[in-house]
Amino acid sequence: MKRAVRGEKALPDNNVSVTALSFTEYVMSGQRGRINIVSEQRGMYLTDDPKVCGFYNPIRDAMRRAVNSTEPELELKKAILNANRTGQPRAFEEIADGFLPWLASFRATGVPVEPATYRVGDLTLKVRPHLGLRKKDGSTYAVLVHTKEVPLTREAANVGLRILQHTIDETLPGATPMVLDARRGKAYQMPARTNLGKLDVLIAAEAMGYVTHWQLSGLFESVRAV
């Protein structure tokens, strides 16, 4: 039913593929917003226009540079000054305001991470931790970074954390999974008492819902185009 796969693999024709972070955004949205989210993500993943996607890529790249920089604030400032899309300067400033204090308090440096995929039925999740971090005691962390304006919920964070747990041997062996809400400088780790079996059931159910929404959105678009 579910399995982690190293690297990028060819997918069956009926398989839907999105990033783990996009899936967590779907999980944390209300029922009324889910169809809109899937429609937006279909447009992003199926387009050949690079302008449609990658809104947060410059600031995430700056964050990766910042974790190994003696002046991390300068790396984020460069991304803010170079922001040229509507809404980017404000968004990048808010991310910097949350991320930099958190990074200073966490006291870690960057380490490489590898991509993996995690399959749940007809949904394939691309798992690409945005950051790999190592503290002075040698402990490591594989981090998904939430950058959107809407605050990350604990439920969505747990979904992201569980997906990271399933793929940690491929992305950063031995690391602790972490999901960071960058704008609020709030990091989540899996609570010790989490019922992982129930969480896996939730992920499987949400994956089925995502695929259904994706397929129906495509059907609606094809009918509307006729």
Side-chain angles (χ1 to χ4, degrees):
M1 183 179 180
K2 312 170 209 172
R3 60 194 181 99
V5 182
R6 184 179 297 275
E8 301 293 336
K9 303 292 183 180
L11 302 176
D13 291 340
N14 63 340
N15 196 281
V16 176
S17 178
V18 295
T19 67
L21 195 60
S22 293
F23 180 65
T24 64
E25 291 169 3
Y26 172 85
V27 172
M28 70 184 283
S29 65
Q31 191 64 35
R32 292 178 62 184
R34 291 188 170 194
I35 294 177
N36 288 336
I37 285 177
V38 173
S39 295
E40 291 173 2
Q41 291 179 353
R42 276 183 61 88
M44 181 175 66
Y45 285 108
L46 298 180
T47 186
D48 293 325
D49 185 355
K51 294 181 180 180
V52 176
C53 57
F55 183 91
Y56 291 102
N57 285 351
I59 196 68
R60 288 197 179 111
D61 290 341
M63 293 164 76
R64 279 188 284 269
R65 294 191 299 270
V67 297
N68 281 326
S69 174
T70 57
E71 297 180 293
E73 64 279 355
L74 293 183
E75 296 297 341
L76 273 71
K77 185 176 182 179
K78 291 176 186 176
I80 295 169
L81 292 175
N82 290 328
N84 56 15
R85 294 174 60 175
T86 302
Q88 270 187 337
R90 180 182 64 84
F92 289 5
E93 287 175 358
E94 291 179 357
I95 291 167
D97 288 344
F99 176 72
L100 288 171
W102 176 83
L103 180 63
S105 65
F106 195 66
R107 298 183 180 180
T109 56
V111 293
V113 291
E114 298 295 331
T117 55
Y118 181 60
R119 297 180 186 175
V120 189
D122 288 333
L123 181 66
T124 294
L125 300 174
K126 301 173 184 177
V127 186
R128 299 167 181 164
H130 302 104
L131 298 174
L133 299 175
R134 176 181 288 119
K135 302 196 78 171
K136 288 185 178 180
D137 63 4
S139 57
T140 54
Y141 299 81
V143 188
L144 286 178
V145 181
H146 172 74
T147 52
K148 298 293 181 67
E149 188 171 6
V150 178
L152 186 71
T153 65
R154 163 51 75 177
E155 179 186 35
N158 282 356
V159 168
L161 290 167
R162 185 56 173 160
I163 294 167
L164 283 172
Q165 282 185 339
H166 281 299
T167 55
I168 204 69
D169 288 343
E170 287 74 42
T171 58
L172 186 57
T176 298
M178 179 182 289
V179 178
L180 174 66
D181 185 339
R183 294 200 195 207
R184 281 141 291 267
K186 184 175 183 180
Y188 293 87
Q189 296 182 41
M190 188 71 78
R193 295 186 178 182
T194 303
N195 187 319
L196 298 180
K198 288 185 177 180
L199 184 54
D200 283 338
V201 170
L202 170 66
I203 291 172
E206 295 287 3
M208 291 177 63
Y210 190 99
V211 170
T212 299
H213 276 144
W214 181 284
Q215 293 172 341
L216 291 178
S217 293
L219 178 62
F220 174 76
E221 290 167 6
S222 65
V223 170
R224 187 173 56 182
V226 174

